[in-house]
Amino acid sequence: MTALRRVALVGGATTKFGVRAATWSELVQEAGTALFRAVPELSAKDVDSLFVGAAEPERFAFQSHVAPLAAELLGIQPRRVLQRTELACASGQSAIRSAYAAIASGLSDIAIAVGVEKMNIPSMAEANTSMACVMDRPWDGAHGATAPPFFAMVAQRHMLEYGTTEEQLAAVSEKNHRFANANPDAQFAEKTFSKEKLLRLPWVSPPLRLGDCSSMTDGAAAVLLVAEEFARRYTDTPAWIRGTGQYSNFHNLAQAGSLTDWVGLKIAAAEAFRSAGIGADSLDFAELHDCFSISEIVEYEALGFCPPGAGGAFVADGQADIGGKVVVNPRGGLLGCGHPLGATGIAQAVEVHCQFTHAVPAARQVPDPNWALVHNLSGSANVHSLMVYQRGGPP
Amino acid sequence: MSTDSPEAVRPRTGPRPGAPPLPASTEPAPTPPTASASAATPPARPAAPKVPTVLDFYPMETAATTRVAAFFDNLRAGRFTTTRCRKDGTLLWPPRVSCPECHGDDLDWVDLPPNGHVYAFSAVLLGAPLGMESEVPFVVGLVDLDGAPLRLFGRIDGGRWETLRIGDAVHVVPVPLDDGRIFYRFVRDLAGSATGATPPA
Ligand SMILES: [Zn+2]
């Protein structure tokens, strides 16, 4: 693999996340405007490739063939690679991984990865139907399988096997909402959630309450990825992609195995850390996929931040906070920012660049960050996708 | 509406479990427009035949649409079945037409145990998909089948979520849908007998 070129993430931006009075196409335009403002040296004619992370535009916006639509909206005529990436909740990171592969291989030099999802539509039941077809639709979806009851079962088993409590679940949500209060682009930037308040919210799927579940969110985000020789044209502080890993071991829920030991994440993480040449102990912060509060707890354990079963105590003790062992989700997480499926993975990468350049409010700035991990799960945690970034300094 | 009522184990638009299997079509013959229709009264249109749509949740079930139509025929006859690889014995769920172990396609149909025990469960209290809103709250879970290496996800009817426990016994029932198709659900063996209102786990 030594023939691969080094790839840098040199800039990025997001739209405001939330229940937006804006269409799918308008969100793409907002992300494009924000990216070109954030990277003033960027010229559309230099962009040779475009990757569009979009999970369900066919259902939420009744639009297929969205890659050329996004290219038109961004004023780009891709001459190397144009494609949409779909991997449900990980569609955005898939766009970045695909751009990374294209640049590392020499196919592309300068690429944009844009992610977008429009999820708030007039009928929320219709939107929920779209979420249910992420599962094995005719066999699991037909029984009413959506994400909340699945992750509720994860929480139920984690409580049974390890004694994890509702208070520990609330500690995840409280932390991520608190970080989101320092992120103006977050869906819940202005709303505060104490643990006590979180524990009084109604159940969505017991034992998960509203505050344990990420929201249906509209939003878009975009990043610029370039080969090493172009990096200094755009930034003094490139975020180098140093490792990546991915693993999938099932789809129908009959093959899920243990709900609390995410074997697929362990395998994907081992590859991500191996390719980066570091261990979990080297991470300064991690953007983890907290689609539900319990997800983040299981992820601490699978990533080796703490022993199996100790994830609840890890977060309750402040070990995932600034000043703890590793800062998790300083952006505000999916819980605090909302979860527009195609945009989430890209917005996490934007956070990596903003943390490395010390461009975020002090309340969420990780002290002297040099190594960062981005993780997305998709579906019923049946796919795990990871990327490792290292902060680069001036040449 | 209490989920303890028999009504709760019935899909929104379908007949009750245990109802006799439906004929292929229950639609009345289309009514032709009447000769007396005046200009002020638009002529009645023939009723459109009710057909499955690929944008609903349930599988396509007939031999014209799937190679595992036997699953649904067997279910209609009271048998819960799946396919198994003749070469390596791998039990395949859901029913497949090729074996992902050996990549062969020499499969046969075998009966699955209709009984099992709850491994994990929750309930949908908010966020139900289209067509399921009227059943809220409904219970779903993972069920270990007795004597088979399968843990299946499914609806668990027969009582409120607050009274279900991990380890409770359930069994499979066929559930006719109102358009002639059939599906299955789990039902508690001792429906409604448990008491108390403790959250799961
Ligand atoms: Zn086989």
Side-chain angles (χ1 to χ4, degrees), chain B residues 179-198:
Chain B
D179 60 8
R181 285 182 290 175
I182 192 164
F183 205 55
Y184 64 94
R185 289 182 174 190
F186 295 103
V187 175
R188 297 187 209 187
D189 285 5
L190 301 169
S193 70
T195 56
T198 310

Side-chain angles (χ1 to χ4, degrees), chain A residues 59 125-126 128-129 132 137-145 149 152-153 156-157 160 203-206 252-255 257 259, chain B residues 56-59 71 93-95 119-123 125-130 132-133 140 151 153-155 161 166 183-184 200-201:
Chain A
R59 292 199 63 95
E126 185 179 358
N128 291 326
T129 302
R137 189 268 305 159
W139 300 97
D140 290 336
H143 288 286
M153 293 193 297
Q156 183 190 41
R157 291 297 309 191
L160 178 75
W203 273 312
V204 175
S205 282
N252 186 281
L253 294 178
Q255 311 298 328
L259 297 183
Chain B
D56 75 21
F57 276 105
Y58 295 100
F71 173 85
W93 180 267
Y119 175 78
F121 69 95
S122 185
L125 276 61
L126 292 172
L130 279 174
M132 300 184 190
E133 310 103 298
V140 294
R151 179 181 294 157
F153 181 84
R155 194 72 69 93
W161 64 270
I166 287 175
F183 205 55
Y184 64 94

Side-chain angles (χ1 to χ4, degrees), chain A residues 3-24:
Chain A
L4 291 180
R5 299 199 296 174
R6 297 222 302 166
V7 179
L9 192 158
V10 295
T14 80
T15 69
K16 171 70 179 171
F17 282 13
V19 181
R20 294 291 316 278
T23 67
W24 191 98

Side-chain angles (χ1 to χ4, degrees), chain B residues 85 87-90 99 101-104:
Chain B
C85 179
K87 185 177 171 188
D88 50 42
T90 306
C99 173
E101 287 296 320
C102 68
H103 305 104

